[in-house]
Amino acid sequence: MAQPRARGWRIAQHLAVPALAVAVVALLPLAKTGNSPAADRWTPLTPAKVAFTQKTGATTTAQLLGFNDFHGNIDPPTGSGGLVNGVPAGGSEYLATYLKKLRDAAKSDGVKNSDTVVAGDNIGASPLVSAAFHDEPAIEVLNAMGVDLASVGNHEFDEGVTELYRMQFGGCHPTDGCQDGDGFSGAKFPYLAANVTNKSNGLPILLPFTIRFYDGVPVAYVGMTLEGTPGIVNPAGIKNVDFHDEVETANKYATILGWLGIKSMVLVIHEGGAQTSPPAPLDPSGCANFAGPITDITKGLNPAYGVVVSGHTHRFYTCELPNSSGANSLVTSAGSAGTLVTDIRVTLDKKTRKFVDASATNVIVDNGVKNPDGTYQKDASGNPVRNPALVDAKVKTIADKYRVAVAPLANKVIGSITADITTTQAPSGETPLGDVIADAQLAYTKASAGAQIAFMNPGGIRASLTFANSPGGEAPGQVTYGEAFTVQPFNNLVVTQSFTGAQIKDVLEQQFVGFQGQTVQRMLQVSAGFTYTYSASAPVGSKVSDIKLNGVAIDPAATYKVTTNDFLANGGDGFLNLAKGTGRVTAPGFDVDALTAHLGTGPIAPGSADRYTKIA
């Protein structure tokens, strides 16, 4: 176990280094502003490169290696989540290798400085190999990879603020201890949380920013999560903190840092956007038909934020997006689960201390073995063959320790499936796996609580079930506990409540933006026998019709028993109407237990994804 004195020294380092940096910068003479921003030729189908200002003298260069939404993916993701345009990708020991390769490449190009930054969700919603140890494995492999700083994401709050402090500063878990037997010293890198403050004193719960010096030129990194975090995490763990507007917070710190002479800033933010086809497949370094919250956030930013490293949407892109001055900032995201790394190169003017230019390319963390024809080798079950030449030995040692420890539980066969059960959405928003999970929760509570209907939030479904995947050497179609846990890793409780038919309609209407505070459209997954129709173009509050249970119209005045996880039952994902149920009954165990029990009755077929219908 880490000693208190050692942890205290690391806390002091985290606090003292940025403070010292600010003090040094405050003594630097303020430079005159440079020339007006220039525009580089760029299209949404090429890697982004932004020209900010003409240099006035000597320059220096730096590399920023960015990724996001690692989610404790110690092992390569399975199924489509482990492929980037057909290339098998991800896995901690492969990610570490690519980070080293990219650092070495930059050094060969004469770039002296390199920092690795992560835009949130390092932990949480993790596969069993990390989650079983409260994500200590994720932090340990990120330390070994040489991560220099990270912003908090919404999943950093899954187990509450107190547990986030443990992730930063170390110490054994208060209930489960240090299960690996060798203690836990926390993240060697600072977590940044500029827009998360204590209710009691208004101060940030962790450092709001840190400063790096590149040949004497200071660059400030401001880190934050999305303002909407309270709506997508369990309220119990964040009751003593506030989450603030991203743009207002970023610009507040830009003003303060500007007073201190810092002219170049990077926003590391857990919020993002997405490309959409055409073209197909999408270019990992493209920005085709781009949209999302990060567009408006960037539009409001002080132009000192020349680079924005983003995340949350699990999409890849490198974009040039306008900031508050009308000039462009470089905005990037590297997908999720360590499948990509963004290689960002910046040039800085030593005299003005401003960005001169910045460029970005997303690099696939290829972990496969190529055939002569360019395809990738697969084993007898159809799974990608991993390339041992691309394994980082140091990270593999850490990962193997936890793999061995969790193997007896992770590799236990708990059920079977007839085919891939995916998270691919039908036009209505329903998914085959969403059907299966809703059915599992209904079956789990039907006898004990009289449940008639079950709803599942799509964001709680983290991976597909792949027929050919055999992590423990089991036969194709067999499902292990580890695979089931990867699908539902939150350990939510399963609860049943009573609702009137009128309340159920309000719940369904709250799937759509604008109804009783809902800000994001999220289509609930529903159990067998429950059907309805919705019109996307109908007025808010009147989109849902023809609601039936087993072919019989729902009676607005009648009472029905509805099962959900406790995240939804507490109003998560904006479903405030699900917090209005009465007579709450909590089932034993967790939501993953409901899924494993259902799979144990298999083989289970994919859901039909036709239980509700979208019309114009």
Side-chain angles (χ1 to χ4, degrees):
M1 178 176 176
Q3 295 300 313
R5 182 177 178 182
R7 291 203 305 274
W9 171 241
R10 288 216 353 273
I11 293 170
Q13 286 181 306
H14 283 315
L15 294 173
V17 172
L20 177 61
V22 170
V24 171
V25 174
L27 298 176
L28 295 176
L30 294 177
K32 295 181 180 180
T33 58
N35 296 329
S36 59
D40 240 7
R41 294 191 59 173
W42 175 78
T43 74
L45 302 182
T46 59
K49 183 175 182 180
V50 180
F52 299 103
T53 184
Q54 303 244 340
K55 65 179 182 178
T56 60
T59 60
T60 189
T61 54
Q63 176 189 57
L64 319 180
L65 295 177
F67 61 98
N68 49 277
D69 297 272
F70 180 63
H71 288 293
N73 274 270
I74 305 298
D75 298 323
T78 60
S80 60
L83 297 173
V84 179
N85 293 349
V87 178
S92 57
E93 58 258 68
Y94 303 99
L95 175 58
T97 294
Y98 273 82
L99 290 171
K100 285 183 179 179
K101 288 170 66 174
L102 291 169
R103 291 174 190 134
D104 290 343
K107 193 176 294 184
S108 296
D109 292 340
V111 178
K112 298 178 182 178
N113 307 286
S114 181
D115 279 308
T116 300
V117 305
V118 190
D121 281 6
N122 285 324
I123 59 175
S126 303
L128 189 63
V129 67
S130 187
F133 304 95
H134 296 281
D135 274 321
E136 293 171 17
I139 297 297
E140 290 182 7
V141 297
L142 292 169
N143 285 342
M145 290 176 197
V147 169
D148 292 288
L149 61 99
S151 71
V152 293
N154 55 286
H155 283 287
E156 263 74 21
F157 296 92
D158 280 351
E159 294 191 48
V161 174
T162 301
E163 177 68 358
L164 173 57
Y165 285 148
R166 192 177 75 87
M167 292 291 100
Q168 175 70 92
F169 301 119
C172 294
H173 190 271
T175 302
D176 296 331
C178 286
Q179 300 170 78
D180 64 349
D182 61 6
F184 176 63
S185 57
K188 294 180 180 178
F189 52 88
Y191 261 118
L192 306 178
N195 68 332
V196 188
T197 60
N198 284 301
K199 288 182 183 293
S200 61
N201 56 25
L203 296 176
I205 62 169
L206 291 165
L207 291 176
F209 65 87
T210 189
I211 300 170
R212 312 293 286 185
F213 286 88
Y214 302 131
D215 286 352
V217 179
V219 175
Y221 290 81
V222 177
M224 62 182 71
T225 186
L226 69 156
E227 183 185 11
T229 291
I232 51 177
V233 301
N234 197 313
I238 57 170
K239 59 186 178 182
N240 295 321
V241 298
D242 291 317
F243 294 80
H244 301 280
D245 181 86
E246 302 96 336
V247 174
E248 290 179 4
T249 303
N251 288 344
K252 177 182 72 174
Y253 282 102
T255 298
I256 294 169
L257 291 162
W259 289 340
L260 298 172
I262 297 178
K263 302 297 184 181
S264 298
M265 303 175 199
V266 178
L267 182 63
V268 187
I269 181 170
H270 191 68
E271 180 61 292
Q275 303 185 68
T276 55
S277 296
L282 291 166
D283 181 355
S285 297
C287 192
N289 305 304
F290 187 82
I294 198 64
T295 301
D296 285 340
I297 289 172
T298 304
K299 190 175 182 179
L301 289 179
N302 184 308
Y305 288 106
V307 178
V308 178
V309 181
S310 68
H312 186 54
T313 57
H314 290 203
R315 305 298 181 90
F316 48 64
Y317 47 84
T318 71
C319 295
E320 296 184 17
L321 299 179
N323 55 48
S324 64
S325 72
N328 288 330
S329 293
L330 181 70
V331 181
T332 72
S333 176
S336 66
T339 55
L340 292 137
V341 176
T342 312
D343 188 354
I344 303 168
R345 306 288 183 94
V346 299
T347 304
L348 294 147
D349 190 309
K350 289 187 174 182
K351 181 178 179 182
T352 65
R353 302 199 294 278
K354 289 186 174 183
F355 287 122
V356 174
D357 57 50
S359 62
T361 304
N362 275 329
V363 178
I364 300 175
V365 179
D366 184 341
N367 61 31
V369 178
K370 271 190 176 181
N371 294 312
D373 64 358
T375 60
Y376 284 83
Q377 292 182 22
K378 295 182 179 180
D379 62 22
S381 298
N383 300 306
V385 174
R386 311 299 180 186
N387 191 341
L390 296 174
V391 169
D392 179 88
K394 181 179 179 182
V395 170
K396 184 178 186 299
T397 297
I398 298 169
D400 283 348
K401 176 182 70 172
Y402 291 106
R403 287 167 179 151
V404 170
V406 81
L409 175 60
N411 295 335
K412 181 182 178 182
V413 174
I414 50 85
S416 60
I417 56 178
T418 64
D420 291 352
I421 306 181
T422 72
T423 57
T424 303
Q425 290 187 354
S428 64
E430 192 175 350
T431 71
L433 186 52
D435 286 357
V436 168
I437 292 173
D439 289 349
Q441 294 189 357
L442 179 61
Y444 197 63
T445 54
K446 193 170 188 177
S448 60
Q452 299 162 279
I453 303 165
F455 295 142
M456 176 62 193
N457 56 309
I461 306 171
R462 307 303 298 187
S464 298
L465 287 172
T466 304
F467 184 84
N469 191 41
S470 301
E474 70 279 3
Q478 291 186 321
V479 180
T480 64
Y481 182 81
E483 290 177 283
F485 190 90
T486 298
V487 171
Q488 287 190 275
F490 294 107
N491 277 341
N492 288 317
L493 301 174
V494 181
V495 301
T496 304
Q497 303 178 95
S498 294
F499 294 86
T500 66
Q503 287 178 310
I504 289 173
K505 184 178 187 297
D506 282 348
V507 167
L508 298 177
E509 294 287 358
Q510 206 161 32
Q511 296 176 113
F512 304 101
V513 175
F515 185 76
Q516 296 183 4
Q518 182 60 272
T519 58
V520 179
Q521 180 169 312
R522 295 183 175 94
M523 300 308 298
L524 293 168
Q525 308 301 293
V526 306
S527 55
F530 186 81
T531 60
Y532 67 92
T533 299
Y534 75 89
S535 170
S537 60
V540 171
S542 301
K543 294 183 182 291
V544 178
S545 61
D546 197 27
I547 309 170
K548 295 179 179 178
L549 178 60
N550 299 321
V552 178
I554 290 286
D555 181 350
T559 299
Y560 301 86
K561 296 290 185 70
V562 179
T563 293
T564 67
N565 57 46
D566 65 328
F567 168 74
L568 280 176
N570 292 335
D573 275 351
F575 286 99
L576 302 179
N577 285 309
L578 282 172
K580 296 178 180 180
T582 59
R584 181 182 295 204
V585 176
T586 301
F590 300 106
D591 51 0
V592 69
D593 297 316
L595 179 60
T596 57
H598 187 58
L599 292 170
T601 67
I604 299 297
S608 56
D610 61 359
R611 296 171 182 176
Y612 49 87
T613 304
K614 177 183 178 181
I615 58 177

